[in-house]
Amino acid sequence: MPEEPAGTESSPGRRAGDRGRYGKLSREKVLVCALEVVDRDGLSGLSMRRLGAELGVEAMALYRYASGKDALLDGLVEAFFLELEKDLRDLEKGLGAPEKDLRDPEREGGPRDGPADAPVPAPDPVPAPDPVPGEAPPGGWRDDLHRIALSAHGVALRHPNVVPLLATRLLSTPMARRPAAVLRGDERILALLASAGMSDRQTVAVHRAFTAWLLGHLLVDLRAMDDDPEEPDPAFRIGLHRISAQELPRLRATALAMADRGGPAELAAGLDALLDRFG
């Protein structure tokens, strides 16, 4: 590409303007809009051209805030973790409304009436004391991991189309190049485990096990199951007639149950079973 002559920045028609229908662009505005597009249209619906149209600017104007689609996808992961950070801060300040205790024995673990992603009724929030830097919060490290898991589950329900990126982008992005919000999430977990008196080796083992279970649960629980979302009959909605009873008898027999989300109750039960080996 030939070098642009000096003074081109102020020349009309040579530089895409970055003032759209929502005012002057910023990285935050670009990422918020990208998240809205993906929430509505899925990852396949995101492109620089589509995003520019949503913001009311030329696609070229976006390259000042994201170098391409890969950078946008990394930005979506960043937006996910920033939202998780905010939810956790609100819980720590007593401003959030956490769902019912994930390990409540009276909570039904099976399918609920109503939509699979219907929110679980939450108790009135109880103001929490300000956390003391460097100390584990009241309730112990296991309770804190449960709070992180529940909060992540809530963000995932709000942005299910972003969840696959938590695996694919982090698989391909070296740790030191990941968004700062992602690294702060790791730091939060490592710090609370270290403050509970764990050695570096134990801390890494628990961090790895917790992250693997949380990510695996989100990917499985939120995977696409409906073949025809508008179909009222559950069997036809998941396309049960497309699954051979001769070749896949057990899958066909359990398909309707598999289509129901396990939700936070199964997330918590599996997390407790996992953490039992660490004490």
Side-chain angles (χ1 to χ4, degrees):
M1 177 180 290
E3 184 177 350
E4 290 188 356
T8 302
E9 281 193 359
S10 59
S11 303
R14 295 303 301 273
R15 178 182 179 186
D18 63 354
R19 185 171 294 279
R21 63 171 58 98
Y22 303 112
K24 185 174 175 61
L25 290 186
S26 65
R27 176 174 168 77
E28 181 181 5
K29 287 182 179 178
V30 170
L31 292 184
V32 166
C33 188
L35 189 59
E36 291 174 351
V37 170
V38 170
D39 285 344
R40 184 185 67 228
D41 302 326
L43 289 170
S44 62
L46 180 65
S47 68
M48 301 297 270
R49 185 182 299 273
R50 171 74 65 83
L51 188 56
E54 291 280 338
L55 289 164
V57 299
E58 297 178 24
M60 288 299 296
L62 301 177
Y63 286 90
R64 299 171 207 160
Y65 308 98
S67 59
K69 187 171 180 180
D70 281 350
L72 280 180
L73 297 181
D74 289 337
L76 291 174
V77 175
E78 179 183 0
F80 184 100
F81 278 87
L82 286 172
E83 197 165 320
L84 175 58
E85 276 188 335
K86 180 182 182 303
D87 286 357
L88 289 171
R89 283 197 304 269
D90 288 346
L91 284 177
E92 289 169 355
K93 295 177 181 178
L95 301 177
E99 297 182 49
K100 191 174 183 180
D101 191 320
L102 293 175
R103 292 158 294 170
D104 188 337
E106 297 181 2
R107 179 188 174 90
E108 293 182 0
R112 307 193 305 266
D113 292 334
D117 58 351
V120 179
D124 292 333
V126 177
D130 291 334
V132 179
E135 292 185 12
W141 61 272
R142 288 181 62 140
D143 285 349
D144 212 48
L145 288 181
H146 274 277
R147 285 194 290 273
I148 294 171
L150 176 56
S151 296
H153 185 270
V155 177
L157 285 180
R158 295 196 291 272
H159 309 294
N161 292 330
V162 177
V163 170
L165 297 178
L166 304 183
T168 59
R169 298 310 301 171
L170 297 185
L171 277 173
S172 60
T173 306
M175 180 172 65
R177 295 183 179 272
R178 293 171 190 168
V182 176
L183 299 180
R184 288 195 298 270
D186 289 327
E187 179 69 18
R188 172 189 288 267
I189 296 169
L190 294 170
L192 77 89
L193 296 175
S195 69
M198 294 188 187
S199 66
D200 286 350
R201 183 181 294 274
Q202 289 173 314
T203 294
V204 170
V206 176
H207 174 274
R208 182 178 289 125
F210 171 78
T211 303
W213 170 245
L214 176 58
L215 180 58
H217 177 86
L218 294 179
L219 289 171
V220 170
D221 213 32
L222 299 179
R223 59 187 169 176
M225 297 298 289
D226 289 344
D227 182 55
D228 182 0
E230 304 302 320
E231 170 59 51
D233 183 276
F236 284 105
R237 183 165 61 247
I238 69 169
L240 190 62
H241 57 286
R242 302 181 186 277
I243 302 175
S244 170
Q246 287 71 40
E247 296 180 11
L248 306 165
R250 295 314 308 157
L251 179 60
R252 184 182 173 94
T254 58
L256 285 173
M258 290 181 66
D260 284 315
R261 290 179 179 169
E266 287 190 6
L267 171 63
L271 182 55
D272 266 334
L274 179 69
L275 297 180
D276 280 347
R277 62 180 288 232
F278 297 105

